[in-house]
């Protein structure tokens, strides 16, 4: 018994989550096949599977507000050097913002064209949604979404009372800016912090850094529960929907991967050619090592040392530029993550049959861009933000159970896109500052050597 437990605990987390997915899915499908509609199955879902899934989700919910505040504030405050670096900072920020906008747009277009979340029996989807979101909560959301003009949606991003927005960020009936307003407040706070005399703010910065560390630790606790939470959430969903869910999941993975591929090899190739004046083939060949490390670690932060070394040695980006752009980019420039978030939220909205209005879709795009800044460059760093964005547009956060099981592979791919974006940005900044990049492929090691 003890040995068995040791074996399970020794498995890497992604493996355990995958096992959780497989077990939950198999049992859910079996239950759907054998006992759909039986009262005992409904009771089992209501009293066992649902609460277990909720424990996992709530552990994530409870840290999201402090996480966003700490991550965004620190992310921007680190730009304090912006003033010193002036042009380089402005170029980096401009690149990050506009390229992230492109990536989210690609994702949103794809998900609207392919509509991967459709294809399940609408009655079943509706029943599922009914059971996950209470009717009182839903009605006003629908009304609110219909009634709110886009000008107000945009104005509400600037909070009157950020504490109210924070307190009601999960309340689907709330008509203010909610999460987006909290994000805005954190950005402004970060900007002001960066512009204030360091001797007066050192303690505050240290405290926010401490807050960030503690919050990351709590996410660690939640992730330890993830295999069980995922099993419970996917059981709930597959027991209700049956085999339809497999096709839907495959389409979702396909859409995310297609979007990431277009961005990685289409958009970046054009940008590298136009902005860094370098052959995309040479560029990708030179940064292979970075892509491999990003893919295998699923962490922009863990890839940073490799990215710094390779861009200096192989691409010839000067150290003062790569140091600034890549460090900042590893948390603040996450094109792949933003694309993934946009696709996932809209996919789950389709999946649960929640019609998002145009203002709500704009809200998802904006949040995905900001989430690209607020996401920690660690494996699964974007998941807490997805949960929050889902909730704020009235899509059941339980949907995370649908995607978590396949998240590792998507994480590997989006991290590769994130880091490639940082390096492309460094190459662009170096080039625009008048440095020659190293385009020669002589003395390049073969793939076997990297
Ligand atoms: N793993 C990603 C990164 O480090 C973040 C995420 O999307 O979860 O870049």
């Amino acid at each position: 018994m003890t040995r068995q437990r040791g074996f399970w605990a020794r498995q890497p987390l992604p493996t355990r989550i995958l096992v959780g997915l497989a077990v939950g899915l198999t049992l859910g499908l079996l239950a759907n096949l054998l006992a759909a509609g039986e009262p005992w199955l409904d009771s089992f879902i209501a009293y066992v599977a649902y609460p277990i899934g909720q424990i996992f989700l709530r552990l994530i919910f409870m840290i999201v507000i402090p996480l966003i505040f700490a991550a965004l504030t620190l992310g921007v405050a680190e730009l304090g050097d912006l003033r010193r670096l002036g042009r380089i900072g402005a170029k980096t920020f401009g690149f990050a913002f506009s390229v992230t906008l492109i990536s989210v747009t690609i994702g949103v277009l794809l998900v609207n064209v392919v509509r991967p979340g459709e294809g399940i029996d609408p009655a079943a989807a509706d029943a599922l949604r009914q059971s996950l979101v209470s009717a009182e909560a839903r009605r006003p959301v629908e009304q609110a979404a219909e009634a709110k003009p886009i000008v107000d949606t945009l104005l509400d991003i600037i909070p009157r009372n950020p504490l109210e927005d924070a307190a009601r960020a999960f309340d689907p009936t709330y008509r203010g800016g909610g999460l987006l307003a909290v994000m805005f407040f954190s950005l402004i706070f970060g900007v002001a912090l960066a512009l204030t005399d360091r001797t007066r703010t050192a303690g505050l910065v240290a405290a926010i850094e401490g807050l960030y560390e503690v919050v990351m630790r709590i996410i660690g606790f939640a992730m330890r529960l993830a295999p069980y939470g995922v099993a419970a959430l996917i059981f709930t969903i597959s027991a209700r929907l049956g085999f339809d869910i497999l096709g839907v999941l495959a389409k979702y993975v396909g859409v995310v991967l297609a979007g990431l591929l277009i961005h990685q090899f289409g958009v970046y190739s054009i940008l590298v050619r136009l902005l860094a004046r370098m052959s995309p083939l040479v560029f990708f060949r030179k940064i292979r090592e970075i892509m491999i490390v990003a893919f295998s670690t699923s962490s922009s932060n863990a890839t940073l040392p490799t990215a710094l070394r390779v861009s200096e040695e192989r691409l010839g980006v000067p150290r003062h530029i790569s140091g600034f752009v890549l460090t900042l980019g590893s948390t603040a420039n996450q094109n792949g993550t933003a694309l993934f978030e946009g696709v996932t939220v809209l996919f789950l909205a389709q999946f649960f049959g929640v019609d998002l209005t145009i203002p709500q879709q704009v809200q998802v795009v904006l949040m995905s861009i900001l989430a690209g800044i607020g996401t920690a460059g660690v494996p699964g760093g974007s998941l807490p933000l997805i949960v929050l964005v889902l909730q704020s547009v009235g899509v059941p956060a339980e949907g995370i159970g649908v995607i978590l099981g396949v998240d590792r592979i998507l994480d590997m791919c989006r991290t590769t896109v994130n880091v490639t974006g940082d390096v492309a940005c460094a190459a662009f900044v170096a080039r625009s500052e008048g440095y020659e990049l190293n385009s020669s492929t002589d003395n390049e090691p073969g793939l076997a050597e990297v």
Side-chain angles (χ1 to χ4, degrees), residues 298-300 334 337 375-382 411 414-415 418:
S298 291
S299 164
S300 304
Q334 301 201 337
T337 293
T375 296
V378 297
S382 47
D411 198 359
R414 67 182 182 253
T415 306
N418 289 344

Side-chain angles (χ1 to χ4, degrees), residues 9 69 95 118 161 173 175 198 214 240 299 303 322 397 416 432:
F69 174 71
F95 183 96
E118 290 178 353
N161 176 357
T173 63
R175 301 206 42 200
R198 270 280 149 150
V214 171
R240 290 236 157 86
S299 164
T303 314
S322 60
T416 310
S432 69

Side-chain angles (χ1 to χ4, degrees), residues 10 33 53 59 79 81 88 145 184 188 197 205 228 232 247-248 255-256 318 329 342 377-378 410 417 422 430:
R10 273 204 314 277
L33 218 54
L59 273 175
L79 289 174
D81 297 346
I88 299 182
F184 183 86
I188 293 281
D197 181 7
V205 172
Y228 312 99
V248 169
V255 169
V256 176
V378 297
L410 300 183
V417 174
D422 301 338

